Structure formats: structure tokens, C-alpha cells
Amino acid sequence: MQDKESTEEIFTNSVEPVLDVHERPKPAQWLLLSSQHLFAMFGATVLVPFLTGLPISAALIASGVGTLIYILITKGQIPAYLGSSFAFILPITIALGANSLGEVLTALFFSGVLYVIIGLIIRMFGTDWLMNLLPPVVVGPVIMVIGLGLAPVAVDMAMYTDSGNQEGYSMLYIFVAAMTLTITICASIFLRGVLSLIPVLIGIVGGYISAILVGIVDFTGIIETGWFVTPDVHLPFVSYDPTWNVGLMIVMLPIVFVTVSEHIGHQMVINKIVGRNFFKKPGLHRSLIGDGVSTMFSSIIGGPPTTTYGENIGVLAITRIFSVWVIGGAGVLAIILGFIGKFTAVVQSIPTPVMGGVSILLFGIIASSGLRMLIDEQVNLDSKRNLVIASVILVIGIGKAHLDFTIGDIPFNLEGMALAAVAGILLNAILPKEAPVRDE
């Protein structure tokens, strides 16, 4: 545990802001400043619906509206942008292959409900129970499973014209994916300033150009789509019937604990950058509830769950512009993009090897961030207890172990990452803690 002085330093070690949280920019600057946040979140937010098959326009609208909901619930006191969550990519993809859209979106809705419940419990009892339930030795390996579990998806998109079908092996696709990956890596390492925050977007643009040059981009959809169209959203009782699938809900809900841990980590970084204790005011519970309500709204219109974005936190750190007005402006711009048909058509025309090339880096970074958590939190893997928990989580998750059973007439299926998270939580609760070894 940190002492009082080091804890206070987390919230006071910041630089003088250019625009503080409640300051509104001049109209001439507002569009430019909000556009920076739009670009920072864009590549990752669009990639999630691209991979899962959910509508891109719905994800953009959910991201924008969700951010505005978050600002409202947190009383306009926390400058955080909400985008599509990567943690749910694999569960959504698998679930849509075996379940109806209504069942999947209903399960995602209750993931948001669980967020809200956790926020309310934190409001009443604090955060110690959550930290005991989800220590770094559990969360770190689960995050690694998220990234490594998605690795085959990225590689298939980069290699095959028909994902997973080896008869579609294509050197042309591999070339485009390699070009995209190279551009993304170079942008990430060599660019400075605001450009260093959008390597994914730069990589996608560069990869798209290379795909055009080798002739694998189909422009038909762009030509046939109008400029302004009704966004492709799935509304309950119109596009789908909300359907209870308790087994599917149980698969989705453990992932919430991982994203909650990620959310808390993001809030700690924002606290340090802005120099305020947002855990105290407006409160971590409000932040989590805002994220949960945003996820609930997203599932209602057919979008993926949302989460706070590290890319946008990076923009805060570099620009020192903490204004929630700027963050809200980025949300409005995302909503507008959801109604521009040409824009959505361009995104949908991006060939799979372009997204595959970007995903190789992104999914690897997710896995590496789990490893980084273990290192940063100084998790001792010489401890047999810690080694057992981490090992079991990794093998169950990456090996895609699954449990299929029924209770009464209700089918249950725990697979891969969800089962790994449950196993990690149970092992952490059951295994006795080892006494610290004293120096002679």
C-alpha cells in the first residue's frame, strides 16, 4: 500500500492545463481540438464492429452518445472518451456464430447492467472487495488471453481471402498486411506529438492505399451509397427481439470484471494527468455507472460495449487540454459520422488484409499490456500460488477450453476467456495466501 504522501502525489503531480476541465474553447479552435480526439479513437473503435460484424455506424453513434452520457453522469467533471471495447471481440464473434442477434445484444445489455451494479456496490462499500476479487495476478493473465486468443483472427485476415480457409492463401494479401503493419509500426515509433497518438489510423490509411495499388479494393459500395443515409442500427422489436439466454449472459459477465479493472487503471492515469482525485469527486462509482449506461445504450442500438480509451488519455497528456467540452465535441462528431453513408461505405470497403495487418500489432499490444501489469505490480511468479493461477488462466484461455451443460432447461456454455476468468477468480479465492519470506 502507498503511504499518504505518495497517494496525494498521484493527484497533484500534473502540469498547468491549457484548458481546464470546465473551460470552453473558442469556436475557431473547438472543431480542431475535438477532431484530435476523434482521430485518436477512430481506428480502434471502427475495428471492433469490423471484426465482429456489428454495424460500423451503430458503433460510431454508440461511441458518441455513450461519451455524452458518461459526461452527464459524471457531472461534466471527468474528461474521458468512450469507444468500442476490444475485450468483447472474441466473445461477440463466437456468440453470433451460435446465437441470434437478439440473444447476443441482450447479454451485452446486462453486461452494462453489471457495470452499474458494481458502481453502486463501490458507492456503498468502497473498492477493497473488488481489488481482492481481481488482483493483478488474475487480471494480467486474463488480459493476455484476450490478446493471444484474438491472434488467429488477425493472422487469418492477413493470409486468406476467405478467413480460415487455407485454399484461399494469398501472397497478395500477405503483402498488403505486411505493408499495413510496417506503416503502423513506423508511425508508432518515429512520429511525434499528436501524430504519435494515431498510428492505427495512419496504418489503415497507408494500408488502404497499398490495397488500391494492387487492385483488391471494391469501390462499388462507395459509388452506390448516398452521402447522408439512415444509420445501420439494430433496434429492439424492429431489427431483433430481445431474448434471454442465461448461459450466454454468464459467458459475457466475467469479461466485465476485466474491463472494470481496465477502467480503474485509466481513471488512475487521468487523475495523475489532470491533477485531481476523480475517485473522490465525482466518485469512481459515477465513472463506472457512466460506462455501464453507455454500454447498455450501445447494445440497444446494436453496437459493441464501450470503455474508456487510453488513446484519448494520451491526447490529454500531450495537449494539456482537459476540457470536457472538447471531449463532448468529439462525441458529437462521431454521431455525425454515423449518418454519413459515404464514410461508412469507405470503411466497409477496407480489405481484410489491411485490418489484419493492424490487428497483428493491436492484439499483440493487448497481450503485452497484461504482461506489463504483472511487471508493474511486481507480481512474484516465484510464488507457487501466483504461478498456478497465472498458468491455469493462460492455458484454459488460449486453449479455448469450454464447459457445456444445462441446469433445468437452461443451456450454459463457458468458453475460452470467460472460463479462464472464472477459473482465475476461484483459484485466487480458494488457494491460501503464502506467508512472506523474512530475511535472516
Side-chain angles (χ1 to χ4, degrees):
M1 292 292 290
Q2 294 171 311
D3 58 27
K4 183 177 180 181
E5 290 183 2
S6 61
T7 303
E8 288 299 322
E9 184 182 354
I10 291 177
F11 306 119
T12 58
N13 183 18
S14 64
V15 295
E16 188 69 23
V18 175
L19 282 176
D20 209 347
V21 175
H22 292 112
E23 291 182 321
R24 189 183 307 185
K26 296 178 181 178
Q29 299 175 327
W30 201 339
L31 179 61
L32 179 62
L33 296 176
S34 294
S35 295
Q36 289 182 132
H37 282 279
L38 181 73
F39 291 142
M41 69 83 187
F42 175 79
T45 290
V46 169
L47 184 60
V48 174
F50 188 96
L51 295 176
T52 58
L54 296 174
I56 292 171
S57 55
L60 286 169
I61 293 172
S63 172
V65 174
T67 298
L68 298 178
I69 290 172
Y70 178 86
I71 291 173
L72 179 64
I73 291 178
T74 57
K75 300 181 177 180
Q77 295 182 24
I78 306 178
Y81 190 92
L82 273 59
S84 304
S85 173
F86 271 66
F88 287 86
I89 292 177
L90 195 57
I92 292 174
T93 304
I94 294 173
L96 284 174
N99 301 274
S100 69
L101 179 64
E103 289 175 318
V104 174
L105 293 179
T106 303
L108 294 177
F109 178 88
F110 280 95
S111 297
V113 172
L114 181 56
Y115 249 109
V116 174
I117 292 173
I118 292 172
L120 293 174
I121 295 175
I122 287 176
R123 174 70 177 85
M124 292 185 289
F125 301 107
T127 60
D128 287 348
W129 68 274
L130 185 62
M131 297 300 103
N132 291 330
L133 186 69
L134 295 170
V137 71
V138 173
V139 177
V142 171
I143 292 174
M144 293 173 69
V145 167
I146 292 172
L148 296 177
L150 288 167
V153 176
V155 172
D156 283 353
M157 288 194 301
M159 293 175 59
Y160 304 119
T161 54
D162 183 10
S163 183
N165 183 357
Q166 300 206 5
E167 293 182 0
Y169 180 84
S170 170
M171 284 301 297
L172 196 61
Y173 268 43
I174 292 174
F175 169 76
V176 172
M179 286 293 296
T180 305
L181 178 60
T182 301
I183 293 169
T184 307
I185 291 172
C186 290
S188 177
I189 293 176
F190 298 112
L191 294 182
R192 295 292 179 266
V194 175
L195 289 178
S196 67
L197 300 171
I198 54 171
V200 173
L201 181 60
I202 293 172
I204 291 174
V205 172
Y208 190 71
I209 292 172
S210 67
I212 292 174
L213 294 177
V214 300
I216 62 172
V217 178
D218 184 2
F219 294 101
T220 304
I222 301 174
I223 296 171
E224 294 178 352
T225 304
W227 277 101
F228 296 98
V229 298
T230 302
D232 182 13
V233 297
H234 296 305
L235 297 175
F237 304 110
V238 178
S239 302
Y240 69 93
D241 292 326
T243 306
W244 288 73
N245 184 328
V246 178
L248 185 58
M249 290 179 191
I250 291 176
V251 171
M252 296 293 183
L253 296 184
I255 304 167
V256 172
F257 289 100
V258 179
T259 55
V260 164
S261 179
E262 178 188 42
H263 180 107
I264 293 172
H266 284 168
Q267 287 305 313
M268 291 178 67
V269 176
I270 295 176
N271 286 345
K272 187 172 181 65
I273 291 172
V274 181
R276 296 180 188 173
N277 188 349
F278 293 126
F279 285 176
K280 183 177 181 180
K281 183 182 179 181
L284 178 60
H285 65 286
R286 282 189 173 273
S287 183
L288 285 170
I289 291 172
D291 204 341
V293 175
S294 171
T295 292
M296 291 161 65
F297 171 80
S298 181
S299 66
I300 288 173
I301 67 170
T306 59
T307 185
T308 49
Y309 257 32
E311 293 90 335
N312 297 86
I313 295 173
V315 175
L316 296 177
I318 285 183
T319 63
R320 293 184 292 124
I321 295 171
F322 309 143
S323 171
V324 292
W325 294 94
V326 172
I327 299 291
V332 172
L333 290 177
I335 296 169
I336 293 172
L337 283 180
F339 287 83
I340 298 178
K342 291 288 186 186
F343 173 79
T344 304
V346 167
V347 174
Q348 291 173 331
S349 73
I350 298 174
T352 55
V354 173
M355 289 303 194
V358 169
S359 298
I360 288 172
L361 180 61
L362 281 177
F363 298 160
I365 289 175
I366 293 172
S368 299
S369 67
L371 179 61
R372 178 181 175 180
M373 173 176 285
L374 294 177
I375 296 171
D376 289 348
E377 298 296 330
Q378 299 180 351
V379 175
N380 179 17
L381 291 180
D382 284 335
S383 161
K384 292 180 181 179
R385 180 182 189 275
N386 291 343
L387 188 61
V388 165
I389 294 172
S391 301
V392 171
I393 290 173
L394 288 172
V395 173
I396 288 178
I398 298 172
K400 292 182 170 59
H402 59 91
L403 289 176
D404 299 309
F405 57 95
T406 58
I407 297 177
D409 294 329
I410 301 175
F412 291 87
N413 175 275
L414 276 178
E415 183 172 353
M417 181 177 61
L419 181 58
V422 171
I425 291 172
L426 290 177
L427 284 174
N428 178 64
I430 294 171
L431 294 180
K433 290 182 170 57
E434 298 172 358
V437 177
R438 292 184 178 182
D439 294 333
E440 293 295 335

